[in-house]
Amino acid sequence: MVTVPYKLMIVDDEYEIRQGLRSFDYSAFGIEVSEDCENGLFALKALESEPVDIVVTDIRMPLMDGLALAEKLSSRYPHTKIIILSGYDDFEYAKTCMKHGALDYLLKPLDFEEYERILTKAIRLIDLEKEQNARSAALERKAKLSAHHLRKKFLRDIVQSAMTDDAIELESASAEVMLEENGEYVVVLLRSTVYPEKPKGVGDKEWNLIVFTLDNLLQDLWDEQGMGYHYVETDGECSLILTQTEGLAALREGKDGLTERLDSLLNGLKRFRGLFRTHFSYVIGPIVSKPGNIRRSYRAAQGLFHARIDRPDEAAEYLQPDGERPPGKEIEQANGKRLVQEAKHFIENNYDRTITLDDVAKHVHLNASYLSFLFKELTGQKYIDYLTLYRIEKAKEFLMQTNHKVHEIGEMVGYENPRYFTLVFKKYTQQSPNEYRNGLFHANAKDG
């Protein structure tokens, strides 16, 4: 008898299909149906608070279809088993879903004997994975969740708060955000025309869904297009941090390349007018240098939205680092070296997941700012540089010795975001991962 039920979610825009699937006797399989959703977007929102083991999803649905949902699930919840519901006309579409990690597919109308077979197959795989990877899977899920929250917190802080250079360096690495120390940046503020009020007739639950949708759309329309990064506030204000060199150059020269991109982004949002029930507008802040000044561009853009020129103070305000200062007395060398060595061992044993300076400090029972000082004092190298270089060396080994894809190797060395992994690798090696691997291949071929 199964004591711990497996969680299953049903995703289909047809009420009758959802009810039909719910009527199946799941108790014999130890399965509990957690929730049914009308489309992929609602499903993603529900999964944030309650992950499941199995998702049964239709292909054709509004807002987000089954293929898009399968892509998102394979990236965010790699251990979740996906079962596709497909009509005969969708057969090729169903095969595409299989390429994105779907376990199997069912043709409509449903054959419940076939459904039993596929559920049995899913449970067998889940049990096998749990037995083989219980500890590592838990760490991976925790790391992905941690990286997601760290990224949101860092992007909020970089646009709204004063941060020291050291804090930016450490937190941006943990958040997988690439900001060059001497780079230039612009904040574009995006707001609905009714900001800061909610659109008329929109309740709290629907508003949360709107903010969630905005976050996901901007990830696709801004971040994944290589424009930079974004942060969505709970009141719906969207901060777009422009890091793309071409966009900054166009802005400086008065060209309309950036405005064309932003207008295209607004057109992308218009597809969801039924959900948003409002128009959006944007303002572009001034170009600033260095990550610590990004908030100046943000504040100036806020002023433009209030139809006045807001000139931030010329002198940047910097927070003092929190925590204890290094003791005035001489550092006891032997003990300090032992602690740094322990910190290195922790990094070497946990580099494949999201780890922060706080994590390492807790392991060696030190204050984070003191460990940072101690690391630099005794090794001549910053903590974050040691962690990053160790990961890059491991990535080189995997590129040389395995056939894993680049994004898989990125995850194996602790980077959830494939684009960020490529940027970091190129920064430290002057080559992309693929260029590095191809160089090894050609060198070996020449030697052979």
Side-chain angles (χ1 to χ4, degrees), residues 6-12 17-19 21-22 26 31-58 69 115 205 209:
Y6 306 91
K7 296 279 190 178
L8 179 142
M9 174 184 284
I10 298 167
V11 189
D12 198 299
I17 295 292
R18 298 201 303 274
Q19 290 302 107
L21 285 169
R22 269 195 173 276
Y26 293 95
I31 293 175
E32 176 184 308
V33 180
S34 62
E35 188 168 353
D36 56 72
C37 299
E38 298 175 25
N39 56 63
L41 191 62
F42 290 6
L44 279 181
K45 179 63 177 173
L47 286 168
E48 276 197 334
S49 56
E50 186 180 7
V52 300
D53 301 291
I54 304 169
V55 171
V56 182
T57 179
D58 189 19
L69 177 60
Y115 190 39
K205 185 176 181 181
L209 178 61

Side-chain angles (χ1 to χ4, degrees), residues 63-109:
L63 294 183
M64 179 181 287
D65 62 18
L67 176 58
L69 177 60
E71 290 177 350
K72 297 285 188 183
L73 290 177
S74 64
S75 171
R76 298 183 187 182
Y77 307 100
H79 299 289
T80 298
K81 306 307 170 197
I82 307 166
I83 300 172
I84 300 294
L85 303 179
S86 166
Y88 285 100
D89 293 340
D90 299 325
F91 183 66
E92 291 301 320
Y93 208 6
K95 289 198 297 185
T96 303
C97 291
M98 300 285 285
K99 294 179 183 177
H100 289 287
L103 176 66
D104 215 325
Y105 62 90
L106 285 164
L107 290 175
K108 296 180 181 179

Side-chain angles (χ1 to χ4, degrees), residues 162-444:
M163 299 179 69
T164 65
D165 291 343
D166 285 345
I168 291 171
E169 182 178 16
L170 286 170
E171 293 181 30
S172 64
S174 299
E176 300 189 359
V177 173
M178 175 68 80
L179 299 176
E180 294 290 345
E181 183 179 355
N182 295 317
E184 291 186 319
Y185 307 94
V186 162
V187 173
V188 179
L189 273 190
L190 180 70
R191 290 177 177 174
S192 72
T193 51
V194 296
Y195 178 88
E197 303 296 327
K198 297 177 187 175
K200 194 172 182 180
V202 174
D204 289 343
K205 185 176 181 181
E206 190 174 1
W207 180 251
N208 289 335
L209 178 61
I210 288 171
V211 172
F212 176 79
T213 303
L214 270 174
D215 194 18
N216 277 271
L217 287 173
L218 292 176
Q219 177 70 28
D220 293 338
L221 298 173
W222 187 262
D223 298 44
E224 296 301 329
Q225 301 302 316
M227 298 297 292
Y229 303 94
H230 80 279
Y231 171 72
V232 181
E233 189 56 83
T234 54
D235 62 11
E237 179 184 79
C238 308
S239 300
L240 310 178
I241 305 173
L242 175 65
T243 64
Q244 186 197 60
T245 304
E246 291 82 357
L248 287 161
L251 183 60
R252 182 181 290 105
E253 295 170 14
K255 296 179 181 178
D256 55 7
L258 177 59
T259 56
E260 287 178 4
R261 168 70 73 167
L262 291 168
D263 290 341
S264 174
L265 186 151
L266 292 185
N267 285 330
L269 297 180
K270 285 179 182 177
R271 293 186 293 117
F272 296 86
R273 183 64 51 75
L275 179 64
F276 292 148
R277 302 185 195 173
T278 182
H279 295 275
F280 288 88
S281 59
Y282 63 83
V283 295
I284 303 173
I287 298 174
V288 296
S289 60
K290 298 191 175 184
N293 292 324
I294 287 174
R295 73 188 185 103
R296 296 173 60 190
S297 185
Y298 168 77
R299 289 191 301 176
Q302 280 187 312
L304 291 173
F305 255 129
H306 287 90
R308 71 171 186 266
I309 299 175
D310 182 3
R311 299 195 178 198
D313 297 335
E314 290 300 321
E317 300 171 17
Y318 293 102
L319 293 175
Q320 293 301 316
D322 294 328
E324 302 169 10
R325 292 174 178 259
K329 64 180 182 177
E330 254 185 56
I331 298 169
E332 204 280 308
Q333 288 287 335
N335 188 51
K337 287 181 179 179
R338 178 183 62 80
L339 290 171
V340 169
Q341 198 60 39
E342 283 185 23
K344 286 184 175 181
H345 285 318
F346 182 82
I347 290 170
E348 291 161 8
N349 290 327
N350 295 276
Y351 70 91
D352 58 344
R353 64 182 181 90
T354 299
I355 53 174
T356 65
L357 178 61
D358 282 337
D359 294 329
V360 184
K362 286 177 183 177
H363 178 74
V364 296
H365 308 292
L366 285 179
N367 174 274
S369 57
Y370 180 51
L371 175 61
S372 178
F373 164 80
L374 200 62
F375 210 99
K376 179 70 180 296
E377 184 76 9
L378 296 181
T379 69
Q381 188 177 32
K382 292 182 179 179
Y383 150 80
I384 194 62
D385 288 334
Y386 181 83
L387 171 63
T388 304
L389 287 169
Y390 190 85
R391 284 172 162 168
I392 295 302
E393 289 305 314
K394 284 293 180 182
K396 287 180 179 179
E397 291 178 19
F398 291 134
L399 288 165
M400 181 170 53
Q401 299 170 6
T402 74
N403 292 322
H404 289 298
K405 296 178 180 177
V406 168
H407 76 87
E408 293 173 333
I409 290 175
E411 290 181 357
M412 290 163 67
V413 297
Y415 293 107
E416 175 197 353
N417 188 315
R419 188 165 69 92
Y420 180 75
F421 167 61
T422 298
L423 289 171
V424 172
F425 192 94
K426 194 165 187 177
K427 177 180 178 181
Y428 281 83
T429 67
Q430 283 70 57
Q431 293 178 296
S432 70
N434 279 324
E435 288 170 343
Y436 180 81
R437 174 176 268 169
N438 290 337
L440 291 172
F441 175 78
H442 291 309
N444 290 335

Side-chain angles (χ1 to χ4, degrees), residues 113-129:
E113 286 188 6
E114 184 69 6
Y115 190 39
E116 284 188 26
R117 181 190 69 78
I118 295 177
L119 287 178
T120 301
K121 176 182 175 182
I123 289 172
R124 186 170 64 249
L125 286 174
I126 292 169
D127 287 342
L128 184 62
E129 288 179 3

